[in-house]
Amino acid sequence: MIQNSQQITEKMNSAEETKRQLAFMERAGDYVEKLAKELGRRPTCCVTTFGCQMNARDSEKLSGILEKVGYELTDDEDADFVIYNTCTVRDNANQRVYGRLGHLNSLKKKNPHKKIALCGCMMQEPSVIEKIKKSYRFVDLIFGTHNIYKFAELLTAMFESDSMIIDIWQDTDQIVEDLPVERKYPFKSGINIMFGCNNFCSYCIVPYVRGRERSRNPKDIIKEIEALVADGVVEIMLLGQNVNSYGKNLEEPMTFAQLLREVEKIEGLERIRFMTSHPKDLSDELIQVMKESKKICRHLHLPLQSGSTRILEKMNRRYTKEQYLALAEKIRREIPDIAITTDIIVGFPGETPEDVDETIDVVKRVQYDNAFTFIYSKRTGTPAAAMEQVPEETVKEGFDRLLKVVQDTARERVELLQGQTLEALVEGVNEQDDSLLTGRLSNNTIVHFKGEKELIGKIIPVYLKECHGFYYLGELV
Ligand code: SAH
Ligand code: SF4
Ligand code: F3S
């Protein structure tokens, strides 16, 4: 069992590490080929993603390597190799993983070749590792968020060992470029522009499991986007826990707004999105760049978390209700057709019904186009876990009250588009009704309409005929 290989390779530079991992891909490829001979077919693998867009992007990196070493990718967990890329932001994410692991074990009993791996944010928690070592002995490989670039090496180790392999790092300053990636969509892609988080909001576990903030070199980002565009991508989403603090720790510092200006210049790229913006760092320069841009989508995700200044302070969010409202108002004034969406937590320690009233007040004033509401989940090791928790009943009451307002205001906002003809990127065939296609407007609203599959990946005008709450039924024009 390897416990920690961090010391051995931390000192390599990115290019050397890439070369080293490519060599491991060849070695792992030999094992996969041997297995293929035994099975009389290509072995299959399934990558299941929990959590946010960062994890989805990480899963594309895992898939790229698995494909390269010879696996056939599938969505079926009956596969010869299953990997769970986990999330731990709220406890229900963890519970889902434990629940599904039991099912994986029963599948493994039927397939002697089956291997199971776990990675992602949940694995950075020592208590999780202890629990898996004790109660889920059938897992073959466990690694964390900081050494995901060593997946080929870990895969090789898994083939060469009979016991559970665990490799978890505490942190890293390494960013390894140019490893293979297998995209889920041919026409759109996420791009990491930074990793980690330095904000330490008092309820949040992300800084502990994703480590300190590191920005990627702008040249590497631009090079990656150019290659994606050459490969058919028209829409990109720049990813970071707080994109507004991009570039602060680079050797030659640059702002997020400056990066956007560079990305905008890439020929052939049609749409630019980004996630997530922390309100405390959102600059006038960014609003200006968004306003002038032809490519940046008319959508801003601006997490509020709470509308009560008292709670915001305890959350360590570093803005007040008034500052947030002033910011939202400025954005709406400068870019009137923008959609603003948000995240809200209900039931943070010490929250009273009056605090929830303050949140509802902000929702009514900002008129969010959509809001994700979460019940506070206590995360071990975060400062809020030690504070006095709110009784479940009170939380539920506040949550229901808020949800109703959120839904009503969002519906009103979405209805405003009725009768307009707007451009949509066609993302695929509708999941419920395969005579319909599903597209996404610049402001992130979904529209379903009749059309041919050939339109998938194209940006086309759609008439917004009927509003159905959060989405539209439309018509091609
Ligand atoms: N970096 C992003 C958020 C990443 S986590 C930002 O700061 O905006 C996504 C969302 O999960 C957060 O916005 C928050 O609303 C929610 N969240 C985080 N920790 C949580 C917890 N302990 N309980 C409930 N919701 C939480
Ligand atoms: Fe968590 Fe706050 Fe960092 Fe977002 S900014 S990831 S909520 S600590
Ligand atoms: Fe979850 Fe990790 Fe994202 S905890 S929300 S997958 S950064």
Side-chain angles (χ1 to χ4, degrees):
M1 184 158 76
I2 323 174
Q3 263 291 5
N4 196 328
S5 63
Q6 186 159 7
Q7 293 80 0
I8 314 166
T9 52
E10 221 25 329
K11 284 169 199 76
M12 282 209 183
N13 70 33
S14 168
E16 282 169 9
E17 185 60 46
T18 307
K19 234 167 89 189
R20 197 165 164 269
Q21 292 307 315
L22 289 171
F24 275 113
M25 279 173 227
E26 274 188 30
R27 216 159 113 190
D30 292 342
Y31 289 110
V32 177
E33 203 179 301
K34 214 171 114 210
L35 182 60
K37 286 215 176 87
E38 251 175 81
L39 295 168
R41 58 170 172 82
R42 243 173 106 185
T44 52
C45 77
C46 170
V47 183
T48 303
T49 312
F50 300 81
C52 65
Q53 315 260 10
M54 311 265 179
N55 257 21
R57 185 62 178 160
D58 282 347
S59 288
E60 293 187 341
K61 295 177 185 172
L62 298 170
S63 300
I65 291 168
L66 287 163
E67 169 116 292
K68 174 127 179 144
V69 303
Y71 276 104
E72 187 179 323
L73 299 174
T74 149
D75 289 335
D76 190 346
E77 294 195 352
D78 210 3
D80 302 301
F81 182 40
V82 176
I83 175 158
Y84 277 1
N85 189 8
T86 63
C87 169
T88 188
V89 76
R90 286 170 291 274
D91 189 52
N92 52 12
N94 298 45
Q95 294 315 320
R96 272 172 60 216
V97 168
Y98 290 129
R100 288 173 64 161
L101 271 176
H103 175 63
L104 277 194
N105 191 23
S106 62
L107 292 175
K108 189 171 183 176
K109 283 185 183 140
K110 288 184 219 143
N111 177 358
H113 295 286
K114 193 178 183 82
K115 299 271 187 200
I116 296 169
L118 299 174
C119 67
C121 296
M122 201 176 146
M123 300 306 129
Q124 291 297 136
E125 290 180 274
S127 61
V128 170
I129 301 298
E130 285 317 307
K131 181 161 171 164
I132 293 167
K133 280 206 285 198
K134 206 165 130 232
S135 311
Y136 300 86
R137 293 292 319 161
F138 56 88
V139 173
D140 300 283
L141 168 65
I142 302 174
F143 58 99
T145 55
H146 304 301
N147 54 344
I148 187 165
Y149 67 83
K150 283 162 66 86
F151 180 48
E153 185 173 350
L154 293 160
L155 204 57
T156 310
M158 180 184 83
F159 280 118
E160 291 172 356
S161 159
D162 288 329
S163 59
M164 187 189 272
I165 293 181
I166 305 177
D167 193 13
I168 309 287
W169 296 6
Q170 287 322 305
D171 207 341
T172 185
D173 53 15
Q174 184 82 300
I175 297 179
V176 178
E177 301 287 347
D178 300 325
L179 292 171
V181 182
E182 176 67 27
R183 291 197 311 277
K184 192 171 165 201
Y185 298 95
F187 50 86
K188 68 169 189 175
S189 179
I191 319 264
N192 301 104
I193 62 165
M194 55 205 298
F195 302 94
C197 181
N198 285 355
N199 289 308
F200 291 94
C201 302
S202 64
Y203 50 82
C204 185
I205 198 156
V206 171
Y208 304 87
V209 296
R210 286 274 173 176
R212 291 297 64 71
E213 200 172 280
R214 283 150 288 141
S215 293
R216 266 178 90 191
N217 197 314
K219 285 197 187 74
D220 291 324
I221 298 171
I222 301 290
K223 199 172 87 186
E224 184 178 354
I225 301 172
E226 283 171 346
L228 287 167
V229 170
D231 196 32
V233 166
V234 291
E235 179 181 298
I236 54 150
M237 183 181 275
L238 305 174
L239 299 171
Q241 293 300 349
N242 176 13
V243 290
N244 295 333
S245 68
Y246 172 80
K248 286 191 180 147
N249 50 8
L250 286 171
E251 262 173 41
E252 290 172 44
M254 98 188 274
T255 64
F256 179 54
Q258 285 169 328
L259 177 71
L260 280 172
R261 282 212 174 91
E262 294 306 310
V263 175
E264 172 103 17
K265 289 181 196 153
I266 298 174
E267 234 168 275
L269 179 66
E270 309 220 24
R271 281 181 164 188
I272 304 167
R273 298 183 184 279
F274 52 85
M275 273 259 244
T276 299
S277 278
H278 195 306
K280 79 173 164 60
D281 298 315
L282 198 145
S283 65
D284 288 349
E285 188 194 9
L286 177 65
I287 299 175
Q288 202 52 36
V289 169
M290 288 185 83
K291 188 175 166 177
E292 288 163 11
S293 168
K294 301 254 178 315
K295 298 184 179 175
I296 300 173
C297 288
R298 289 312 192 225
H299 174 214
L300 185 68
H301 188 62
L302 193 64
L304 169 69
Q305 313 302 2
S306 167
S308 153
T309 297
R310 194 179 71 86
I311 295 294
L312 284 169
E313 197 180 341
K314 287 198 192 179
M315 284 178 161
N316 192 29
R317 288 291 287 180
R318 284 171 281 175
Y319 52 83
T320 62
K321 176 186 180 183
E322 288 68 31
Q323 283 168 332
Y324 185 97
L325 282 170
L327 179 62
E329 199 181 304
K330 183 157 63 182
I331 295 163
R332 287 243 191 259
R333 192 172 60 233
E334 294 294 324
I335 317 169
D337 59 343
I338 203 163
I340 304 182
T341 59
T342 202
D343 290 345
I344 299 170
I345 298 175
V346 179
F348 181 86
E351 188 181 62
T352 64
E354 289 71 36
D355 292 314
V356 178
D357 291 341
E358 299 276 341
T359 303
I360 289 177
D361 184 44
V362 176
V363 171
K364 285 185 174 158
R365 294 218 228 164
V366 175
Q367 290 275 304
Y368 292 106
D369 295 78
N370 201 357
F372 300 95
T373 47
F374 304 108
I375 287 185
Y376 168 75
S377 173
K378 183 171 157 179
R379 309 317 285 136
T380 312
T382 61
M387 301 177 192
E388 200 185 329
Q389 309 291 305
V390 180
E392 215 172 290
E393 266 309 294
T394 317
V395 178
K396 203 179 163 322
E397 188 271 333
F399 185 83
D400 291 345
R401 224 151 43 84
L402 172 70
L403 190 64
K404 172 135 192 358
V405 181
V406 160
Q407 286 174 341
D408 290 348
T409 49
R411 191 170 297 119
E412 278 170 34
R413 282 288 304 175
V414 178
E415 268 172 5
L416 292 177
L417 303 173
Q418 179 103 25
Q420 294 190 39
T421 297
L422 292 172
E423 290 197 325
L425 170 59
V426 186
E427 295 195 339
V429 174
N430 183 301
E431 280 172 17
Q432 272 90 45
D433 176 351
D434 64 10
S435 73
L436 295 177
L437 296 173
T438 296
R440 192 181 294 271
L441 305 180
S442 169
N443 78 359
N444 216 34
T445 304
I446 296 288
V447 56
H448 307 290
F449 55 95
K450 281 215 181 336
E452 299 299 321
K453 285 195 184 70
E454 288 64 42
L455 291 173
I456 294 173
K458 302 222 159 44
I459 296 177
I460 51 158
V462 180
Y463 171 68
L464 303 174
K465 196 172 173 200
E466 271 171 46
C467 180
H468 287 247
F470 292 101
Y471 66 90
Y472 269 92
L473 283 181
E475 274 169 9
L476 274 177
V477 287

